[in-house]
Amino acid sequence: MATTAALVVPSPGAKFERSTVERRELRDRDVLIDIKYAGICHSDIHQAKEEWGRGTFPLVPGHEIAGVVAAVGPGVTKYAVGDRVGVGCFVDSCGECEACEAGEEQYCLKGAVPTYNGKGYDGETTYGGYSQSVVVTEHFVVRIPEALPFDAAAPLLCAGITVYSPLRHWQAGPGTKVAVVGMGGLGHMAVKIAHALGAEVTVLSQTLSKETDGLRLGADHYYATGDTATFKTLRRSFDLIINTVSANLPLDAYLGLLRLDGTMVNLGAPPESSSFSVFSLLGGRRSLAGSSVAGIRETQEMLDFCAEHGIASEIELIGADEVDEAYERVLRSDVRYRFVIDIATLTQE
């Protein structure tokens, strides 16, 4: 085992502390990554506060990891020392089930191993990217193209792929009308990617406070959902609605915005159960769906797509001592649009 510096949450809801965690020695197909940047995801906050069920503490969050290969096991064929790489939301899967064989490891029937707050198949606790280094099997490492800014690429490993996958699956593109609910960490990426795919993009946000940003990032239209007239104006307008918020919405009203055969895809995870009338689906053969992140193949596809189209996250780069404050700011929606930790500051006094 090797020791690495890390930002640790010692107990649920506690402040971060500088500490160390153990990383396994390199196995045959392992890659040792020196982490350069780690994005902050809202799910990090939920888990640090133990809001999604019992957690494993001390906890090291972080599943938006950008770094450089420092060493490889003898069986590694895909990567070499010095390569720019990334790690997303999971670091292992069974590799044998129907989902894994289809390249959808995130839906592994045995259970994909999360990058942090989980246990590997060997029983060892996983620790995330708020740390100096990580060891990951090469299959679960992706290559970050040189065209992408290294720091702004980190959030693509969660925020980027979480919106890219449903946009691709439900075939957003020329001739389709896509609505993005929420203009935050996921929402701003959905706007950029949907626009690059060629769709007509509308942002649905509570207010018009971020309208200038939305239009700058690629939205064609911007509406405030706080204005009840919006739901009348846009009735039966969209082929696809990408819901990025983690709050309960009046689903019947949003489903009414879908055209015939339209789909509303939920990416956020509200803490309470949601409800809607089945008649909201029956009237237009509409669908209400959900989507998680994506498999390794599609994650690499997303990174290459973003590099080709000049897409990266809008970020605020912070130091290790600013993470607690950043968590509070995320809860106040006071970030445009993703915090990224400069891991070099982790070992600075």
PDB file of all heavy atoms in Angstrom, residues 147-149 151-153 155-156 188-189 192 217 306-307 309-315:
ATOM      1  N   ALA A 147      -6.607  19.042 -26.802  1.00  0.00           N
ATOM      2  CA  ALA A 147      -7.355  20.253 -27.134  1.00  0.00           C
ATOM      3  C   ALA A 147      -8.201  20.775 -25.977  1.00  0.00           C
ATOM      4  O   ALA A 147      -8.666  21.918 -26.017  1.00  0.00           O
ATOM      5  CB  ALA A 147      -8.244  19.994 -28.351  1.00  0.00           C
ATOM      6  N   LEU A 148      -8.415  19.958 -24.962  1.00  0.00           N
ATOM      7  CA  LEU A 148      -9.249  20.375 -23.828  1.00  0.00           C
ATOM      8  C   LEU A 148      -8.391  20.991 -22.734  1.00  0.00           C
ATOM      9  O   LEU A 148      -7.374  20.416 -22.332  1.00  0.00           O
ATOM     10  CB  LEU A 148     -10.003  19.171 -23.251  1.00  0.00           C
ATOM     11  CG  LEU A 148     -11.118  18.586 -24.117  1.00  0.00           C
ATOM     12  CD1 LEU A 148     -11.683  17.316 -23.465  1.00  0.00           C
ATOM     13  CD2 LEU A 148     -12.233  19.605 -24.320  1.00  0.00           C
ATOM     14  N   PRO A 149      -8.785  22.159 -22.204  1.00  0.00           N
ATOM     15  CA  PRO A 149      -8.089  22.714 -21.035  1.00  0.00           C
ATOM     16  C   PRO A 149      -8.145  21.697 -19.900  1.00  0.00           C
ATOM     17  O   PRO A 149      -9.201  21.144 -19.595  1.00  0.00           O
ATOM     18  CB  PRO A 149      -8.883  23.974 -20.695  1.00  0.00           C
ATOM     19  CG  PRO A 149      -9.653  24.293 -21.938  1.00  0.00           C
ATOM     20  CD  PRO A 149      -9.927  22.996 -22.616  1.00  0.00           C
ATOM     21  N   ASP A 151      -7.908  21.774 -16.577  1.00  0.00           N
ATOM     22  CA  ASP A 151      -8.749  22.026 -15.405  1.00  0.00           C
ATOM     23  C   ASP A 151     -10.236  21.975 -15.763  1.00  0.00           C
ATOM     24  O   ASP A 151     -11.049  21.368 -15.060  1.00  0.00           O
ATOM     25  CB  ASP A 151      -8.389  23.349 -14.736  1.00  0.00           C
ATOM     26  CG  ASP A 151      -8.335  24.535 -15.691  1.00  0.00           C
ATOM     27  OD1 ASP A 151      -8.625  24.364 -16.895  1.00  0.00           O
ATOM     28  OD2 ASP A 151      -7.998  25.656 -15.220  1.00  0.00           O
ATOM     29  N   ALA A 152     -10.605  22.591 -16.887  1.00  0.00           N
ATOM     30  CA  ALA A 152     -12.010  22.639 -17.284  1.00  0.00           C
ATOM     31  C   ALA A 152     -12.502  21.312 -17.840  1.00  0.00           C
ATOM     32  O   ALA A 152     -13.710  21.129 -18.048  1.00  0.00           O
ATOM     33  CB  ALA A 152     -12.225  23.754 -18.303  1.00  0.00           C
ATOM     34  N   ALA A 153     -11.594  20.370 -18.098  1.00  0.00           N
ATOM     35  CA  ALA A 153     -11.995  19.044 -18.559  1.00  0.00           C
ATOM     36  C   ALA A 153     -12.487  18.169 -17.416  1.00  0.00           C
ATOM     37  O   ALA A 153     -13.289  17.257 -17.632  1.00  0.00           O
ATOM     38  CB  ALA A 153     -10.830  18.354 -19.267  1.00  0.00           C
ATOM     39  N   PRO A 155     -14.699  18.471 -14.914  1.00  0.00           N
ATOM     40  CA  PRO A 155     -16.145  18.277 -14.728  1.00  0.00           C
ATOM     41  C   PRO A 155     -16.828  17.502 -15.852  1.00  0.00           C
ATOM     42  O   PRO A 155     -17.959  17.023 -15.669  1.00  0.00           O
ATOM     43  CB  PRO A 155     -16.680  19.715 -14.650  1.00  0.00           C
ATOM     44  CG  PRO A 155     -15.516  20.534 -14.201  1.00  0.00           C
ATOM     45  CD  PRO A 155     -14.345  19.900 -14.868  1.00  0.00           C
ATOM     46  N   LEU A 156     -16.166  17.360 -16.981  1.00  0.00           N
ATOM     47  CA  LEU A 156     -16.768  16.566 -18.054  1.00  0.00           C
ATOM     48  C   LEU A 156     -16.934  15.108 -17.639  1.00  0.00           C
ATOM     49  O   LEU A 156     -17.798  14.403 -18.154  1.00  0.00           O
ATOM     50  CB  LEU A 156     -15.904  16.642 -19.323  1.00  0.00           C
ATOM     51  CG  LEU A 156     -15.721  18.017 -19.948  1.00  0.00           C
ATOM     52  CD1 LEU A 156     -14.832  17.916 -21.187  1.00  0.00           C
ATOM     53  CD2 LEU A 156     -17.064  18.641 -20.311  1.00  0.00           C
ATOM     54  N   HIS A 188     -25.684  23.913 -17.784  1.00  0.00           N
ATOM     55  CA  HIS A 188     -24.875  24.688 -18.726  1.00  0.00           C
ATOM     56  C   HIS A 188     -24.143  23.776 -19.697  1.00  0.00           C
ATOM     57  O   HIS A 188     -23.935  24.124 -20.861  1.00  0.00           O
ATOM     58  CB  HIS A 188     -23.930  25.639 -17.991  1.00  0.00           C
ATOM     59  CG  HIS A 188     -22.579  25.104 -17.665  1.00  0.00           C
ATOM     60  ND1 HIS A 188     -22.370  24.190 -16.646  1.00  0.00           N
ATOM     61  CD2 HIS A 188     -21.355  25.351 -18.218  1.00  0.00           C
ATOM     62  CE1 HIS A 188     -21.068  23.913 -16.587  1.00  0.00           C
ATOM     63  NE2 HIS A 188     -20.440  24.594 -17.529  1.00  0.00           N
ATOM     64  N   MET A 189     -23.775  22.555 -19.234  1.00  0.00           N
ATOM     65  CA  MET A 189     -23.148  21.594 -20.145  1.00  0.00           C
ATOM     66  C   MET A 189     -24.164  21.042 -21.137  1.00  0.00           C
ATOM     67  O   MET A 189     -23.836  20.802 -22.308  1.00  0.00           O
ATOM     68  CB  MET A 189     -22.519  20.451 -19.348  1.00  0.00           C
ATOM     69  CG  MET A 189     -21.277  20.834 -18.553  1.00  0.00           C
ATOM     70  SD  MET A 189     -19.987  21.635 -19.540  1.00  0.00           S
ATOM     71  CE  MET A 189     -19.820  20.492 -20.906  1.00  0.00           C
ATOM     72  N   LYS A 192     -24.552  23.556 -23.964  1.00  0.00           N
ATOM     73  CA  LYS A 192     -23.412  23.538 -24.888  1.00  0.00           C
ATOM     74  C   LYS A 192     -23.457  22.324 -25.809  1.00  0.00           C
ATOM     75  O   LYS A 192     -23.250  22.435 -27.023  1.00  0.00           O
ATOM     76  CB  LYS A 192     -22.098  23.531 -24.094  1.00  0.00           C
ATOM     77  CG  LYS A 192     -21.739  24.841 -23.428  1.00  0.00           C
ATOM     78  CD  LYS A 192     -20.325  24.747 -22.849  1.00  0.00           C
ATOM     79  CE  LYS A 192     -19.834  26.075 -22.321  1.00  0.00           C
ATOM     80  NZ  LYS A 192     -18.392  26.072 -22.010  1.00  0.00           N
ATOM     81  N   LEU A 217     -23.916  30.589 -24.269  1.00  0.00           N
ATOM     82  CA  LEU A 217     -23.427  29.216 -24.328  1.00  0.00           C
ATOM     83  C   LEU A 217     -24.111  28.376 -25.401  1.00  0.00           C
ATOM     84  O   LEU A 217     -23.720  27.219 -25.611  1.00  0.00           O
ATOM     85  CB  LEU A 217     -23.594  28.552 -22.953  1.00  0.00           C
ATOM     86  CG  LEU A 217     -22.813  29.204 -21.814  1.00  0.00           C
ATOM     87  CD1 LEU A 217     -23.070  28.490 -20.496  1.00  0.00           C
ATOM     88  CD2 LEU A 217     -21.320  29.226 -22.125  1.00  0.00           C
ATOM     89  N   CYS A 306     -16.268  16.783 -27.310  1.00  0.00           N
ATOM     90  CA  CYS A 306     -16.051  18.093 -26.701  1.00  0.00           C
ATOM     91  C   CYS A 306     -14.768  18.739 -27.227  1.00  0.00           C
ATOM     92  O   CYS A 306     -14.722  19.953 -27.480  1.00  0.00           O
ATOM     93  CB  CYS A 306     -16.009  17.965 -25.178  1.00  0.00           C
ATOM     94  SG  CYS A 306     -17.627  17.651 -24.427  1.00  0.00           S
ATOM     95  N   ALA A 307     -13.729  17.934 -27.401  1.00  0.00           N
ATOM     96  CA  ALA A 307     -12.484  18.478 -27.950  1.00  0.00           C
ATOM     97  C   ALA A 307     -12.695  18.981 -29.373  1.00  0.00           C
ATOM     98  O   ALA A 307     -12.215  20.062 -29.747  1.00  0.00           O
ATOM     99  CB  ALA A 307     -11.396  17.403 -27.919  1.00  0.00           C
ATOM    100  N   HIS A 309     -15.417  20.113 -30.701  1.00  0.00           N
ATOM    101  CA  HIS A 309     -16.307  21.269 -30.766  1.00  0.00           C
ATOM    102  C   HIS A 309     -15.904  22.391 -29.803  1.00  0.00           C
ATOM    103  O   HIS A 309     -16.653  23.364 -29.656  1.00  0.00           O
ATOM    104  CB  HIS A 309     -17.742  20.824 -30.476  1.00  0.00           C
ATOM    105  CG  HIS A 309     -18.318  19.946 -31.547  1.00  0.00           C
ATOM    106  ND1 HIS A 309     -18.946  20.447 -32.661  1.00  0.00           N
ATOM    107  CD2 HIS A 309     -18.337  18.600 -31.681  1.00  0.00           C
ATOM    108  CE1 HIS A 309     -19.340  19.454 -33.444  1.00  0.00           C
ATOM    109  NE2 HIS A 309     -18.983  18.314 -32.871  1.00  0.00           N
ATOM    110  N   GLY A 310     -14.767  22.262 -29.166  1.00  0.00           N
ATOM    111  CA  GLY A 310     -14.300  23.322 -28.272  1.00  0.00           C
ATOM    112  C   GLY A 310     -15.162  23.501 -27.042  1.00  0.00           C
ATOM    113  O   GLY A 310     -15.372  24.632 -26.578  1.00  0.00           O
ATOM    114  N   ILE A 311     -15.656  22.390 -26.484  1.00  0.00           N
ATOM    115  CA  ILE A 311     -16.569  22.445 -25.340  1.00  0.00           C
ATOM    116  C   ILE A 311     -15.829  22.032 -24.071  1.00  0.00           C
ATOM    117  O   ILE A 311     -15.185  20.978 -24.019  1.00  0.00           O
ATOM    118  CB  ILE A 311     -17.770  21.513 -25.551  1.00  0.00           C
ATOM    119  CG1 ILE A 311     -18.610  21.977 -26.738  1.00  0.00           C
ATOM    120  CG2 ILE A 311     -18.627  21.428 -24.288  1.00  0.00           C
ATOM    121  CD1 ILE A 311     -19.701  21.004 -27.122  1.00  0.00           C
ATOM    122  N   ALA A 312     -15.919  22.839 -23.034  1.00  0.00           N
ATOM    123  CA  ALA A 312     -15.433  22.487 -21.705  1.00  0.00           C
ATOM    124  C   ALA A 312     -16.345  23.153 -20.684  1.00  0.00           C
ATOM    125  O   ALA A 312     -17.191  23.980 -21.037  1.00  0.00           O
ATOM    126  CB  ALA A 312     -13.989  22.935 -21.508  1.00  0.00           C
ATOM    127  N   SER A 313     -16.186  22.776 -19.454  1.00  0.00           N
ATOM    128  CA  SER A 313     -17.023  23.350 -18.407  1.00  0.00           C
ATOM    129  C   SER A 313     -16.585  24.784 -18.085  1.00  0.00           C
ATOM    130  O   SER A 313     -15.408  25.134 -18.211  1.00  0.00           O
ATOM    131  CB  SER A 313     -16.928  22.481 -17.146  1.00  0.00           C
ATOM    132  OG  SER A 313     -17.810  22.922 -16.158  1.00  0.00           O
ATOM    133  N   GLU A 314     -17.562  25.597 -17.683  1.00  0.00           N
ATOM    134  CA  GLU A 314     -17.264  26.935 -17.156  1.00  0.00           C
ATOM    135  C   GLU A 314     -16.908  26.740 -15.677  1.00  0.00           C
ATOM    136  O   GLU A 314     -17.731  26.253 -14.893  1.00  0.00           O
ATOM    137  CB  GLU A 314     -18.489  27.834 -17.275  1.00  0.00           C
ATOM    138  CG  GLU A 314     -19.054  27.941 -18.679  1.00  0.00           C
ATOM    139  CD  GLU A 314     -18.220  28.806 -19.585  1.00  0.00           C
ATOM    140  OE1 GLU A 314     -17.905  29.945 -19.194  1.00  0.00           O
ATOM    141  OE2 GLU A 314     -17.869  28.332 -20.690  1.00  0.00           O
ATOM    142  N   ILE A 315     -15.691  27.093 -15.288  1.00  0.00           N
ATOM    143  CA  ILE A 315     -15.232  26.717 -13.952  1.00  0.00           C
ATOM    144  C   ILE A 315     -14.733  27.915 -13.144  1.00  0.00           C
ATOM    145  O   ILE A 315     -14.398  28.972 -13.684  1.00  0.00           O
ATOM    146  CB  ILE A 315     -14.113  25.664 -14.021  1.00  0.00           C
ATOM    147  CG1 ILE A 315     -12.827  26.266 -14.618  1.00  0.00           C
ATOM    148  CG2 ILE A 315     -14.552  24.435 -14.814  1.00  0.00           C
ATOM    149  CD1 ILE A 315     -11.593  25.419 -14.405  1.00  0.00           C
TER     150      ILE A 315
END
